[in-house]
Amino acid sequence: MKIILLGAPGSGKGTMAQKLTNELGIPQISTGDIFRKNLKEETPLGLQIKDIVSGGGLVPDEITIEIVKNRLAEADCANGFILDGFPRSLVQAEALDKFQDIDCAVNLDVSNDVIVARLSGRRFCPDCNGTFHVSTLSDANVCPVCGGKLVIRQDDREETVLERLRIYGETTFPLIDYYARQGKLVTVDGSGGIEVVYRRILEVLPR
Ligand code: AP5
Ligand code: MG
């Protein structure tokens, strides 16, 4: 199955993509994770996008589209994939339509209050890409999956979160209508606990 996870920053795309990946056996393709890996390794791409990502802006469409196009051509995507954080603009969505036939776009609907609460407590593991919330961690510094050192994402500072939400509303929100017009949109209430939201997603995925 070829699934897109749509939703504002902090709506739970990464958390749900990780669970879906384990259950469905298809890879999670997170453009945010790809960019953070390049930042960490200080690759030429990482250096080019450093200020954009840490400021909450969007990496240029042509760079992002090329990365996703190449990634989706790899063998592990042959039976499907979960796109987490792509597409994020109409230009990206239209480009994707030219090289992939998507089955379903799941829109995680969450209020801004919930988003701010989630992002202010988020911890990220740069070693295994795990995402957690301090409220569920016994030690806020140690990854419960791989033992790596947890960090706070650069772009989770309050002013950057507000900028990400602004850009989401302006550039990404119109994709909800784009996939609705294609008859591929399902909207899921993204508030509530992780297991509750996850079950809602499983119920609406096409069989
Ligand atoms: P990206 O990494 O994609 O960031 P984002 O879209 O802002 O989304 P987040 O990762 O912040 O949130 P999420 O929805 O994954 O929520 P999560 O599961 O972590 O992108 C980062 C940057 O890269 C962008 O700003 C941009 O610069 C660049 N970029 C990426 N893609 C791009 C593209 N296509 N084009 C251009 N630029 C691009 O959950 C959040 C927190 O809530 C966690 O702590 C989690 O544990 C907790 N949580 C999740 N679900 C629940 C629940 N149901 N109940 C309680 N807690 C929950
Ligand atoms: Mg994410």
Side-chain angles (χ1 to χ4, degrees):
M1 196 169 347
K2 298 177 178 176
I3 305 170
I4 294 170
L5 292 182
L6 287 177
S11 57
K13 302 181 296 295
T15 303
M16 295 302 143
Q18 278 176 3
K19 292 178 78 67
L20 286 167
T21 242
N22 293 336
E23 179 140 351
L24 304 177
I26 51 178
Q28 167 192 12
I29 314 297
S30 161
T31 38
D33 286 349
I34 293 170
F35 292 143
R36 277 184 290 280
K37 185 166 186 283
N38 279 274
L39 286 169
K40 187 179 165 208
E41 293 172 0
E42 298 185 333
T43 64
L45 172 66
L47 296 174
Q48 187 184 352
I49 64 173
K50 188 168 183 265
D51 291 343
I52 300 174
V53 175
S54 60
L58 290 183
V59 174
D61 286 330
E62 59 273 21
I63 296 178
T64 311
I65 290 164
E66 189 65 18
I67 287 172
V68 174
K69 189 175 180 187
N70 291 337
R71 179 64 188 88
L72 296 184
E74 288 180 30
D76 63 334
C77 294
N79 294 324
F81 46 78
I82 301 150
L83 280 172
D84 159 15
F86 181 95
R88 240 181 170 88
S89 67
L90 283 172
V91 172
Q92 293 180 11
E94 284 162 3
L96 178 64
D97 277 344
K98 296 204 179 93
F99 56 82
Q100 287 288 339
D101 192 15
I102 294 300
D103 296 307
C104 176
V106 179
N107 175 37
L108 291 172
D109 188 24
V110 179
S111 72
N112 277 7
D113 289 354
V114 172
I115 284 169
V116 171
R118 285 184 184 172
L119 293 184
S120 60
R122 174 162 62 184
R123 295 295 180 275
F124 173 70
C125 177
D127 294 337
C128 72
N129 287 331
T131 291
F132 311 95
H133 195 273
V134 282
S135 59
T136 63
L137 292 167
S138 54
D139 184 334
N141 298 308
V142 180
C143 175
V145 174
C146 76
K149 186 173 167 10
L150 295 177
V151 298
I152 297 176
R153 268 172 50 177
Q154 268 270 323
D155 57 351
D156 278 348
R157 287 169 298 150
E158 194 181 339
E159 66 275 19
T160 316
V161 168
L162 295 178
E163 175 64 1
R164 285 160 61 203
L165 285 171
R166 189 188 67 74
I167 291 178
Y168 168 77
E170 204 171 272
T171 311
T172 312
F173 186 77
L175 296 187
I176 294 175
D177 190 44
Y178 180 85
Y179 287 107
R181 277 188 277 115
Q182 291 191 358
K184 292 181 176 170
L185 184 79
V186 287
T187 292
V188 167
D189 176 2
S191 58
I194 290 173
E195 289 307 320
V196 173
V197 176
Y198 184 57
R199 259 179 278 127
R200 287 184 194 133
I201 293 177
L202 291 182
E203 274 166 23
V204 297
L205 284 182
R207 280 156 217 283

